[in-house]
Amino acid sequence: MAKVPTAVVAAGGLVGGYGVARWTRKRQLGGVVLAAAGVAAAQQWRQQAGGRAAGALTAAYVVAFAGSHPLAKKVGAWPAVFGAAGAVALASWAVADRRG
């Protein structure tokens, strides 16, 4: 069975977490999706690129999530989420997925 690229897992966690929170109107449920994808991505990052890279990418994931909030006030919610997800996906691909 093929492994899902970490770029897809991380971006999917950001987009999916926001989508679930918005459509269910339950922020905690969106947080569960966000956290589950973050944990899954971090495990793959560690396997593929090592602990230091996994730590840096996990920090980028959290910063992207937090940074999407003030960005949403300027460009809108969905563009901010997609921008954050794209940035994390690009970083994930460059650091972990590109090697495989």
Side-chain angles (χ1 to χ4, degrees):
M1 185 169 166
K3 219 181 233 189
V4 176
T6 61
V8 174
V9 175
L14 289 164
V15 173
Y18 176 69
V20 167
R22 181 170 177 143
W23 289 313
T24 64
R25 293 192 167 102
K26 297 189 187 302
R27 293 178 73 185
Q28 299 85 350
L29 192 55
V32 169
V33 172
L34 178 80
V39 167
Q43 288 174 342
Q44 281 186 261
W45 289 328
R46 181 172 299 231
Q47 290 172 353
Q48 291 174 222
R52 291 180 86 183
L57 289 168
T58 300
Y61 186 77
V62 172
V63 167
F65 166 70
S68 68
H69 289 79
L71 183 60
K73 293 178 183 189
K74 296 181 183 213
V75 299
W78 280 112
V81 170
F82 285 130
V88 170
L90 181 61
S92 181
W93 175 83
V95 173
D97 295 333
R98 176 173 62 159
R99 298 174 184 201

